[in-house]
Amino acid sequence: MHLIWPPDHAGRVIEGAELEDLYTYPAGRTWLAVNFVSSADGAVELGGQARPLSTPPDREVLQLGSDLADVLLIGATTAMVEGFHGVHPDRRTRERRRRHGLADVPPTAVVTTGHGLPADAPVITGAQVPTLVLTCEAAPVDVRRAWTAAGAEVIVAGEGSVDLTAAVAALAGRGLRRIDCEGGPHLFGALTEAGLVDELRLTLSPVLAAGPAGRIAASPLATPVDLHLASALAEADTLLLRYLAQR
Ligand SMILES: NC(=O)c1ccc[n+]([C@@H]2O[C@H](COP(=O)([O-])OP(=O)(O)OC[C@H]3O[C@@H](n4cnc5c(N)ncnc54)[C@H](OP(=O)(O)O)[C@@H]3O)[C@@H](O)[C@H]2O)c1
């Protein structure tokens, strides 16, 4: 991939260990990196899914984000519509994770009030390690029991909706501090409102989508956060941007 920012290294081709270094989470602290792919005109989905927007370089950096993380974090709707079934590492991923001192398989943590995550969701039943369901008091007790019976670990944080600050603290308390958030827009909006986003990994895909799709973040209140461009790569007409939240 061609590095185009920062300018002192612009023009270099980055691959292998150097690319891995760029996407390695900072050590010794909780770090929440949010991944999105967007069309050039800002659409977050095509036909209801992110996959048609993705390109090979986007998939490569998304894979790096998950390979180098302690835990994947997603909203219930994304888990369902994208058919998440947990991480199933191949040999390359296992080797990479062992080199970085990570567990062989990162769990997936799904945020839900209980409405949109049935107990037979593939993200629970298809996972190699127990999925963490991050929920709140509003989730009916029988739904919580069904998640547990299906093999998930249920973490309750908050009353009517999930208290994301407490939920992230609960992950960190389990040693899951390198957090790879893979969407979607409502979860991203709520994480931004809560001031929990450290990094945005944004892919700009070479397509105009038009249509009714929303943006990468959705929340009732506008809560602007300034960003610092940490790196920009270009490959196959795709822009791969890493922004750090300025707090
Ligand atoms: N382009 C991309 O990179 C990308 C990435 C991911 C998703 N997407 C697309 O985004 C679309 C889905 O969008 P979305 O915004 O609806 O997805 P989402 O953020 O994954 O899911 C929203 C759901 O997450 C739960 N949730 C989020 N914040 C919560 C909180 N604070 N407390 C409790 N529950 C919370 C709720 O689930 P319950 O209803 O169960 O309570 C809510 O309905 C899909 O079309 C998907 O393909 C695109």
Side-chain angles (χ1 to χ4, degrees):
M1 301 203 195
H2 300 269
L3 190 69
I4 54 180
W5 191 267
D8 42 336
H9 298 291
R12 287 190 41 219
V13 171
I14 300 278
E15 54 195 2
E18 271 191 308
L19 187 63
E20 201 171 285
D21 282 350
L22 209 57
Y23 283 83
T24 295
Y25 297 73
R29 54 162 298 179
T30 301
W31 190 263
L32 197 153
V34 179
N35 294 270
F36 272 100
V37 58
S38 165
S39 71
D41 56 337
V44 75
E45 44 87 3
L46 254 183
Q49 291 197 319
R51 215 164 285 138
L53 293 173
S54 190
T55 61
D58 174 57
R59 285 190 281 282
E60 190 170 349
V61 300
L62 191 65
Q63 177 82 49
L64 269 174
S66 131
D67 283 0
L68 298 173
D70 290 310
V71 61
L72 269 65
L73 177 68
I74 50 171
T77 307
T78 296
M80 295 306 292
V81 303
E82 300 285 348
F84 258 69
H85 56 282
V87 175
H88 295 257
D90 58 16
R91 196 169 55 86
R92 183 165 176 245
T93 289
R94 277 180 199 274
E95 282 171 6
R96 182 181 268 161
R97 293 183 64 79
R98 284 177 187 169
R99 255 192 297 116
H100 285 264
L102 291 152
D104 281 357
V105 186
T108 302
V110 189
V111 180
T112 178
T113 61
H115 289 297
L117 188 72
D120 63 357
V123 71
I124 294 176
T125 58
Q128 276 189 4
V129 295
T131 290
L132 306 168
V133 177
L134 304 177
T135 193
C136 51
E137 299 290 353
V141 171
D142 58 328
V143 173
R144 292 191 226 169
R145 284 204 190 107
W147 287 327
T148 306
E153 183 184 344
V154 178
I155 298 171
V156 178
E159 302 286 327
S161 63
V162 176
D163 176 339
L164 292 169
T165 303
V168 166
L171 295 178
R174 285 166 171 73
L176 306 173
R177 301 179 75 187
R178 288 162 281 192
I179 304 173
D180 171 50
C181 179
E182 299 202 358
H186 283 92
L187 178 58
F188 182 32
L191 289 166
T192 302
E193 271 189 14
L196 290 167
V197 176
D198 295 299
E199 179 178 347
L200 170 63
R201 297 174 173 181
L202 175 65
T203 296
L204 212 55
S205 200
V207 62
L208 290 174
R215 296 157 43 214
I216 64 169
S219 70
L221 293 176
T223 48
V225 175
D226 289 333
L227 299 174
H228 164 73
L229 181 63
S231 66
L233 299 168
E235 177 79 14
D237 299 313
T238 304
L239 278 176
L240 305 137
L241 310 169
R242 285 177 50 250
Y243 288 104
L244 306 183
Q246 301 296 285
R247 283 201 291 275

